[in-house]
């Protein structure tokens, strides 16, 4: 009889312990989610302040501000849908990307761009445009430049788009957008990459599209990294909730 009572007591203690652990885990997850939401709101608000207060003075800066506004809107949409820490941190990532466009706009107006930002996913691997390029692919003209101009007024902060590295720089048009939205490159993309980036120092793949495919095959991640998709695809790239090392983007000067 005593043994039976002892067994029941042990089972009750085990069940109570499991319930306590589950409640503790739920409470911890809720705190983490609230912390992530607070972090996301802070960066979205800072991006919104920049978008509302910054006025472009040339075509490149106006376009960059428009792109920053698009990221601000996307971050707001993502915030409404976020139900997990990973999804909420994606909101922060989107706000970070928007601030890259703000930096680009400020640079295009010869203003202080503000403190450095942490790298975006795939940005360092993609590299940056280091020289002027004007090419014609399938009867259409494209150009790229490390500096903005009326011709090259579309900025991209650099990163992977549908598994391919697109270097940071200024372009004549946002030719990467269809792949960003649809998740796949068109038939002429290999030729475009080769024409724009082949032999260019500073880009992630000197041989453009082909080198990118070879690298991705070796890493086993072909098509896995679609970059940012602005529509709320919470794939979960994570800056760790970064605070930019204490950098402050508040006010009119970030």
């Amino acid at each position: 009889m005593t043994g039976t009572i002892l067994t029941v007591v042990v089972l009750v203690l085990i069940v109570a312990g499991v319930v306590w652990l589950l409640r503790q885990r739920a409470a911890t997850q809720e705190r983490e989610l609230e912390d992530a939401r607070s972090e996301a709101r802070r960066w979205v608000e800072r991006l919104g302040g920049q978008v509302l207060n910054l006025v472009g003075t040339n075509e490149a800066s106006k376009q960059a501000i428009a792109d920053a506004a698009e990221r601000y809107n996307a971050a707001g949409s993502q915030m409404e849908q976020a139900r997990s820490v990973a999804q909420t941190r994606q909101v922060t990532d989107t706000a970070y990307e928007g601030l890259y466009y703000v930096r680009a706009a400020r640079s295009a107006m010869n203003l202080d761009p503000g403190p450095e930002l942490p790298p975006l996913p795939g940005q360092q691997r993609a590299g940056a445009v280091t020289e002027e390029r004007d090419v014609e692919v399938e009867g259409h003209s494209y150009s790229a430049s490390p500096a903005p101009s009326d011709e090259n007024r579309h900025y991209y902060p650099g990163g992977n788009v549908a598994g391919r590295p697109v270097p940071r720089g200024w372009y004549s048009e946002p030719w990467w957008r269809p792949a960003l939205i649809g998740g796949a490159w068109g038939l002429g993309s290999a030729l475009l990459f080769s024409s724009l980036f082949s032999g260019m120092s500073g880009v992630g793949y000197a041989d453009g599209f082909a080198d990118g495919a070879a690298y991705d095959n070796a890493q086993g991640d072909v098509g896995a990294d679609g970059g940012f998709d602005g529509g709320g695809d919470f794939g979960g790239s994570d800056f760790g909730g970064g605070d930019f090392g204490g950098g402050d983007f508040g006010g009119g000067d970030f």
Side-chain angles (χ1 to χ4, degrees):
M1 184 67 176
T2 302
T4 301
I5 294 174
L6 181 60
T7 300
V8 171
V9 170
V10 170
L11 289 175
V12 169
L13 289 175
I14 291 174
V15 171
V18 170
V19 171
W20 182 84
L21 286 174
L22 291 175
R23 287 179 176 175
Q24 287 295 108
R25 177 181 294 181
T28 298
Q29 290 175 339
E30 183 61 31
R31 286 195 300 270
E32 291 176 349
L33 179 57
E34 187 53 41
D35 288 344
R37 284 173 175 164
S38 177
E39 180 78 358
R41 282 193 294 267
R42 184 163 68 93
W43 287 109
V44 171
E45 288 171 0
R46 290 189 176 188
L47 173 58
Q50 292 295 317
V51 168
L52 292 174
N53 292 308
L54 197 59
V55 178
T57 59
N58 52 49
E59 291 302 316
S61 62
K62 290 176 183 177
Q63 182 61 56
I65 293 171
D67 289 332
E70 188 273 333
R71 304 317 295 152
Y72 174 65
N73 292 332
S77 175
Q78 290 175 341
M79 179 69 84
E80 293 178 357
Q81 301 174 47
R83 297 294 182 271
S84 69
V85 171
Q87 290 176 343
T88 305
R89 285 177 175 168
Q90 183 65 54
V91 178
T92 304
D93 295 348
T94 301
Y96 288 167
E97 189 188 8
L99 288 169
Y100 267 96
Y101 285 108
V102 169
R103 281 176 55 86
R106 294 177 66 88
S107 295
M109 294 186 287
N110 295 316
L111 299 175
D112 181 358
E116 292 291 331
L117 304 174
L120 299 172
Q123 186 182 51
Q124 293 179 321
R125 185 179 128 196
V129 176
T130 55
E131 62 185 70
E132 302 278 347
R133 282 285 173 92
D134 291 283
V135 301
E136 185 169 311
V137 178
E138 298 180 340
H140 189 83
S141 296
Y142 300 89
S143 61
S145 173
S149 65
D150 286 345
E151 179 184 8
N152 296 308
R153 62 180 184 273
H154 294 276
Y155 179 75
Y156 186 70
N160 285 348
V161 177
R164 301 275 69 76
V166 178
R168 180 178 72 255
W170 294 86
Y171 298 90
S172 57
E173 60 183 85
W175 45 265
W176 57 87
R177 278 191 178 273
L180 194 66
I181 296 171
W185 290 98
L187 294 177
S189 56
L191 182 57
L192 175 58
F193 268 77
S194 296
S195 299
L196 270 179
F197 305 124
S198 181
M200 183 184 294
S201 63
V203 301
Y205 303 112
D207 291 330
F209 191 94
D211 256 10
Y215 182 92
D216 284 341
N217 283 326
Q219 297 298 312
D221 66 352
V222 175
D225 186 356
F228 295 92
D229 95 3
D233 179 4
F234 299 114
S237 56
D238 179 14
F239 289 111
D243 194 9
F244 294 0
D248 185 7
F249 287 79
D253 191 18
F254 279 56

